[in-house]
Amino acid sequence: KRAPQGLKKGSIMSIITRFAPSPTGRLHVGNARTALFCALFAKANGGQFMLRLDDTDAERSTEAFAQGIVDDLTWLGLPYDLTAKQSDRFEAYDAAFNKLKEMGLVYACYETPDELDLKRKRQRARGKPPVYDRAALELSDEEKTKLEAEGRSPHWRFKLSGNKVSWQDLVRGDQLVDTSSLSDPVLVRADGTYLYTLPSVVDDLDFNITHIIRGEDHVTNSAAQIELIAALAGEGGDIPVFAHHPLLVMADGSALSKRLGSLSLESLREDGIDPMSINSLIARLGTPDPVEAHTEMAPIVAGFDLTRLGRAPARFDPAELHRLNVKLLQSLPYEKVADKLLSLGVNCDDKQTGTLFWETVKGNIDKLEDAVALWQIIQGPVESLIDSEDREYLDTAMDCLPVEPWDETSWSQWTTELKKSSGRKGKELFMPLRKALTGQAHGPEMQNLLLLIGPTHVKNRLKG
Ligand code: GLU
């Protein structure tokens, strides 16, 4: 019963992690980091990584966001081995809920949200923590019937044990939560829909999740969830291992939430950020380990260790991501960018030209898209920049052009010759050539550009 979807539970438990976003938005760097941790942990331990869509909130969850999350994970290079969505699994949740009912572990409550709010206000006013007072536990059958006759439908709470729950958190170490300090969690709303808690626990059990890796905003949920898991799994049921990582905050310590739009993977991709720059950075933030630009997952997996995460929030600086992205881009060989360049319209005829182009321009770009403008300089049309006082000089330059075919020595032959003929040197010598040939005052090495632009364009541009 506990192993649907063809999963076999072997004698040696294989590791299964899950990333469980709600499809109510796209992924941003913060939740991508959780996904990465889940994927890396599974990979590092020869386990499996599951994508679970927590889509029980039918109003806010959309198919488009679900697809967006799949696209984002695919783009990041975090393929999942298993997937499930909660909206397919209501039968399993109903069965678990009925089981809890039979065990007397859930109870019907009739307070309206306003009444609960009032209770909490009174508790606070008396300096007490706003914990649910369990008034509903005292209701007699008669009183319940009367409330229902008044048109109230019950919501259902799980009865916490009131004991201390402990677990060994992979990031936070020994954890101890006194469940008598918590409100009994609501599992089912008055309209019959499930809140996150029960479906999450049922899924973690049914899919044999061994490691629950998530943000530390879920720490208090864990105590209640552990009690629920114990109730549902019974004797001999394994409680998953928990790892609650500190959340990502902005470099100045402010919450990520204010800038989520610009920190969505979708917009980072539009900004020309390579997914491996994101992985390289967010896998190491919050650890004492150095951030390096990795173009492959293997070294990221090899250096990954959840226990190296500190307890302080990890700071994310978009500028650091951009710097890393430039570094990573510049470390790539032509073969790794050829397809992408082609799709951007940089259609180098052959590998040799492509390699020369890439080696020439990569130091001058911040993102791959920037290469398009540089390709434009080579392909033309280019509006030559020619100052009137350089006209004669450029005619001399035309006369001094080296013999064809040109090679990597041609630029130096040309400028040596031109220096002799014109008497110019330094900037006076080089700048008019650059401006005439590229239409700009700065750019990549002229030696290579000369070769890439080629004699026909060079002659035309010298003429202006
Ligand atoms: N859907 C929950 C969230 O996005 C999942 C939390 C968990 O990993 O259990 O916060």
Side-chain angles (χ1 to χ4, degrees):
K1 187 168 167 230
R2 282 198 45 197
Q5 315 269 317
L7 276 182
K8 282 187 206 80
K9 195 167 167 182
S11 50
I12 299 171
M13 182 98 124
S14 79
I15 280 175
I16 308 179
T17 60
R18 91 298 193 271
F19 171 55
S22 294
T24 54
R26 294 290 291 257
L27 300 184
H28 54 75
V29 280
N31 43 35
R33 180 163 168 260
T34 306
L36 180 67
F37 288 169
C38 293
L40 291 179
F41 187 84
K43 222 182 185 97
N45 293 287
Q48 291 174 295
F49 166 53
M50 175 177 210
L51 169 65
R52 186 183 87 203
L53 292 166
D54 286 4
D55 60 349
T56 53
D57 183 342
E59 293 215 332
R60 293 175 58 230
S61 302
T62 71
E63 200 49 55
F65 282 137
Q67 186 56 48
I69 289 170
V70 168
D71 293 346
D72 287 341
L73 287 179
T74 308
W75 178 71
L76 265 188
L78 305 181
Y80 43 85
D81 306 296
L82 309 154
T83 183
K85 57 176 200 247
Q86 294 193 320
S87 57
D88 284 343
R89 295 188 27 83
F90 287 115
E91 270 176 39
Y93 310 145
D94 293 345
F97 179 61
N98 287 331
K99 187 170 167 184
L100 293 169
K101 233 177 186 174
E102 277 160 29
M103 290 190 285
L105 286 175
V106 287
Y107 59 100
C109 304
Y110 295 86
E111 295 92 343
T112 63
D114 285 345
E115 287 165 354
L116 288 172
D117 211 35
L118 199 64
K119 278 190 194 214
R120 285 191 288 262
K121 276 188 187 132
R122 284 207 196 108
Q123 286 168 313
R124 284 205 196 90
R126 276 186 263 131
K128 289 194 172 160
V131 174
Y132 178 61
D133 62 6
R134 291 184 160 175
L137 267 182
E138 311 299 323
L139 294 173
S140 66
D141 286 346
E142 250 170 39
E143 285 169 313
K144 288 186 201 170
T145 316
K146 195 169 156 251
L147 285 163
E148 286 180 28
E150 281 171 17
R152 295 203 190 206
S153 330
H155 57 273
W156 295 81
R157 289 186 190 261
F158 174 65
K159 207 165 131 194
L160 292 167
S161 68
N163 298 328
K164 294 190 169 70
V165 169
S166 65
W167 73 92
Q168 177 65 40
D169 195 289
L170 280 188
V171 178
R172 299 164 61 88
D174 277 331
Q175 299 293 294
L176 187 70
V177 175
D178 186 350
T179 62
S180 69
S181 69
L182 304 177
S183 293
D184 289 335
V186 176
L187 300 188
V188 182
R189 296 188 188 89
D191 66 2
T193 59
Y194 288 102
L195 276 110
Y196 147 81
T197 308
L198 184 66
S200 182
V201 162
V202 171
D203 289 344
D204 287 336
L205 284 171
D206 280 355
F207 295 111
N208 299 310
I209 301 303
T210 59
H211 291 73
I212 295 179
I213 302 168
R214 58 187 177 189
E216 65 183 8
D217 48 334
H218 286 287
V219 172
T220 38
N221 291 341
S222 293
Q225 289 182 8
I226 286 173
E227 292 209 331
L228 258 177
I229 293 171
L232 289 171
E235 292 278 313
D238 294 311
I239 306 281
V241 176
F242 287 88
H244 293 95
H245 61 79
L247 300 180
L248 212 56
V249 298
M250 298 305 291
D252 63 4
S254 65
L256 219 56
S257 56
K258 300 203 186 77
R259 306 211 14 212
L260 286 191
S262 65
L263 298 180
S264 72
L265 298 186
E266 193 183 19
S267 69
L268 292 173
R269 172 172 47 202
E270 278 162 15
D271 275 358
I273 301 289
D274 189 288
M276 288 309 295
S277 305
I278 299 175
N279 291 327
S280 298
L281 179 64
I282 62 183
R284 298 291 183 263
L285 285 183
T287 75
D289 302 325
V291 174
E292 284 164 77
H294 293 296
T295 56
E296 305 289 337
M297 243 2 166
I300 298 182
V301 175
F304 178 73
D305 181 355
L306 267 182
T307 64
R308 294 189 64 72
L309 283 171
R311 291 289 300 276
R315 287 173 190 257
F316 175 77
D317 181 357
E320 186 180 9
L321 177 62
H322 281 89
R323 281 195 299 272
L324 192 69
N325 194 58
V326 172
K327 225 165 143 188
L328 180 132
L329 193 60
Q330 294 178 350
S331 77
L332 294 174
Y334 172 64
E335 298 80 82
K336 289 269 181 202
V337 292
D339 288 346
K340 188 95 186 286
L341 283 175
L342 190 62
S343 74
L344 291 170
V346 179
N347 49 338
C348 306
D349 294 334
D350 52 76
K351 193 176 155 191
Q352 204 189 344
T353 314
T355 307
L356 180 64
F357 171 70
W358 179 239
E359 292 308 317
T360 305
V361 304
K362 68 182 188 185
N364 290 69
I365 62 175
D366 283 342
K367 47 188 195 249
L368 209 53
E369 284 72 6
D370 296 345
V372 176
L374 295 168
W375 182 243
Q376 184 71 35
I377 285 178
I378 287 151
Q379 286 272 287
V382 159
E383 181 118 13
S384 303
L385 268 182
I386 299 177
D387 297 337
S388 49
E389 68 264 29
D390 289 328
R391 185 60 272 164
E392 210 176 307
Y393 171 67
L394 291 173
D395 292 339
T396 313
M398 183 80 93
D399 296 338
C400 295
L401 277 172
V403 280
E404 295 166 31
W406 292 347
D407 61 24
E408 61 279 5
T409 65
S410 303
W411 170 255
S412 109
Q413 282 178 37
W414 187 27
T415 50
T416 308
E417 189 61 34
L418 191 50
K419 191 174 180 178
K420 273 191 237 151
S421 311
S422 69
R424 292 195 184 198
K425 54 183 182 350
K427 203 174 163 197
E428 301 261 275
L429 178 73
F430 299 113
M431 190 52 84
L433 299 178
R434 177 180 288 284
K435 286 184 3 190
L437 298 189
T438 70
Q440 291 176 16
H442 39 72
E445 282 283 333
M446 284 305 294
Q447 175 185 308
N448 291 354
L449 283 183
L450 184 74
L451 284 179
L452 286 161
I453 294 170
T456 313
H457 283 332
V458 166
K459 287 171 199 164
N460 284 333
R461 293 179 195 176
L462 286 174
K463 282 184 218 144

